[in-house]
Amino acid sequence: MSHSISAFQAAYIGIEVLIALVSVPGNVLVIWAVKVNQALRDATFCFIVSLAVADVAVGALVIPLAILINIGPQTYFYTCLMVACPVLILTQSSILALLAIAVDRYLRVKIPLRYKTVVTPRRAAVAIAGCWILSLVVGLTPMFGWNNLSQVEMAWAANGSAGEPVIKCEFEKVISMEYMVYFNFFVWVLPPLLLMVLIYLEVFYLIRKQLNKKVSASSGDPQKYYGKELKIAKSLALILFLFALSWLPLHILNCITLFCPTCRTPTILTYIAIFLTHGNSAMNPIVYAFRIQKFRVTFLKIWNDHFRCQPEPPSDEDPPEEKKEARNS
C-alpha cells in the first residue's frame, strides 16, 4: 500500500512540476512582451501584467508549497497556515485583475471618446495596487483568527499533549471550510464572476449595436475600432471562462465538504480539481499567443531576438509574398 501511495505522490509531483515549468516561463514572457512593446502599454495590458505576476507566483511559490503539503511534513499550526495562505492571496488577485480588465473593456466601448481621460496610467496603477492590497486582506484573513486552531488545540489537549500543537500540514486541517465557502467563495469569488459575466454580455451588446449602426457608414474607422474591440473582448472573455472552469470545481467540492460532512469525495476528484486550479496559471499565455495578435507578434519577436540559434535572414532578401504574410500575421 505504501508503495502505491509513493507512486501516486510521484505522479502528482511530476504533474505539478510540469505545470510550473509551463506557467512560469509563459507568464514571464507575457510581462516581457508588455515591457518591450509600446502598443501593449494601455490599461488593459497593465491589468494583464498584474494577472501574469499572480500566475508566475502560482508556478514559483504556490506549486512548490502544494508539493510540500502533499508530502505532509509535521509543523506548528501557524507555520502550516502561512504555507496555505499564498494560494488564497493569489487567487483573489487574479479574480480582481479579471474584474478590472472587464470594467476597462466596458469603458472602452461605452465611452470611447473619453476613455483616455477617464482611465489614466495613474488611475490604472492605483487600481492594481488596490487589487493587491484587498487580495492580501482577504487571503490573510485566516491568519487573523478565522481558522481551525481551536479544533486542533482541543484534539491536541485530548491526546494529553502540551504546548503549541504540532500537526501534519494539510490545507483543510488549518483553513476553516466556513471561511472558504461563506467568505471566500460566496463573497469574493462567485459575485465577481457573475458580475464579470454581466459586464461582458453588456460589452458584446454595445459592440454589436455599434457595428450594426455603422455598417452602412462611409467611414471605416468606427467599424475598425469596434471590430478590434470585439476580437479582444472575445479573447478576454475566454480567459474568464477558463478561470471559472478551473476554479469552480474546487469550490464546489469545498461546499460539499461543508454542507455534507458525511459525504466522501473521491481523492482523485480532489486532485483533478487542484490540477485545474494550478493549470489555469499556464493557460493564459497560450490564449494570448493564439488570440491576440499584438502578443503573438511580440512573442515571436522576443523569440527571434533572444532565443533563435540562427539569426533571421535579412528582411530585404525575403520574397514579397513572405513580407506581406509577415505583416498580416
Side-chain angles (χ1 to χ4, degrees):
M1 175 63 86
S2 105
H3 176 73
S4 164
I5 293 173
S6 174
F8 188 81
Q9 279 188 328
Y12 168 80
I13 293 170
I15 294 171
E16 289 281 38
V17 168
L18 183 62
I19 292 171
L21 290 175
V22 175
S23 174
V24 173
N27 285 286
V28 167
L29 190 61
V30 170
I31 299 167
W32 193 352
V34 174
K35 184 178 184 300
V36 301
N37 189 344
Q38 290 287 341
L40 295 173
R41 295 290 178 83
D42 67 18
T44 297
F45 296 108
C46 291
F47 295 129
I48 285 176
V49 165
S50 179
L51 183 61
V53 169
D55 287 339
V56 168
V58 169
L61 177 65
V62 170
I63 287 179
L65 293 178
I67 292 172
L68 182 65
I69 287 178
N70 182 259
I71 294 170
Q74 297 288 323
T75 67
Y76 291 116
F77 181 87
Y78 275 101
T79 303
C80 184
L81 195 58
M82 288 178 64
V83 170
C85 281
V87 67
L88 303 174
I89 297 169
L90 296 171
T91 305
Q92 196 56 51
S93 173
S94 297
I95 290 170
L96 294 177
L98 289 169
L99 180 58
I101 290 169
V103 171
D104 177 73
R105 301 323 293 184
Y106 173 76
L107 292 175
R108 284 186 72 94
V109 298
K110 184 68 175 178
I111 52 169
L113 299 179
R114 293 193 297 122
Y115 170 80
K116 289 190 176 179
T117 60
V118 173
V119 184
T120 62
R122 179 182 177 82
R123 287 174 179 169
V126 169
I128 291 170
C131 289
W132 278 98
I133 292 170
L134 188 55
S135 300
L136 285 168
V137 172
V138 173
L140 291 177
T141 295
M143 296 293 296
F144 305 144
W146 198 346
N147 54 50
N148 289 336
L149 179 60
S150 59
Q151 295 95 311
V152 170
E153 283 179 333
M154 283 178 15
W156 183 254
N159 289 334
S161 304
E164 186 179 351
V166 175
I167 60 171
K168 181 180 179 182
C169 187
E170 295 173 346
F171 187 86
E172 291 185 17
K173 192 167 284 187
V174 294
I175 299 292
S176 164
M177 274 299 118
E178 285 82 3
Y179 162 83
M180 286 302 300
V181 174
Y182 292 126
F183 186 69
N184 189 278
F185 184 45
F186 286 169
V187 176
W188 292 105
V189 174
L190 196 57
L193 285 178
L194 294 174
L195 179 58
M196 282 184 268
V197 170
L198 294 176
I199 290 173
Y200 276 112
L201 288 175
E202 180 67 10
V203 166
F204 290 131
Y205 169 75
L206 290 172
I207 292 174
R208 291 295 185 188
K209 183 179 175 183
Q210 291 297 328
L211 287 174
N212 292 336
K213 184 165 46 173
K214 299 294 182 181
V215 72
S216 60
S218 57
S219 172
D221 288 340
Q223 187 86 356
K224 183 179 178 182
Y225 175 83
Y226 286 105
K228 183 182 73 172
E229 287 300 317
L230 180 61
K231 287 181 181 178
I232 294 178
K234 284 181 178 179
S235 300
L236 296 174
L238 176 60
I239 295 290
L240 172 60
F241 172 76
L242 291 173
F243 183 89
L245 192 68
S246 300
W247 279 96
L248 285 178
L250 187 60
H251 283 289
I252 290 169
L253 290 179
N254 288 339
C255 290
I256 293 171
T257 300
L258 178 64
F259 297 129
C260 183
T262 58
C263 298
R264 304 299 299 174
T265 304
T267 304
I268 189 66
L269 285 183
T270 302
Y271 277 102
I272 290 172
I274 291 171
F275 288 143
L276 282 173
T277 61
H278 294 168
N280 180 252
S281 64
M283 295 176 189
N284 294 349
I286 298 170
V287 174
Y288 302 149
F290 282 96
R291 301 276 307 181
I292 301 179
Q293 184 183 9
K294 288 178 183 178
F295 269 118
R296 182 168 63 250
V297 170
T298 311
F299 289 165
L300 289 173
K301 183 179 187 309
I302 291 171
W303 172 260
N304 289 330
D305 289 350
H306 298 278
F307 299 105
R308 276 176 66 97
C309 296
Q310 298 278 339
E312 280 190 299
S315 57
D316 57 344
E317 293 180 8
D318 291 338
E321 295 82 359
E322 291 184 11
K323 288 184 184 178
K324 184 176 180 182
E325 184 180 345
R327 283 197 299 268
N328 293 335
S329 63

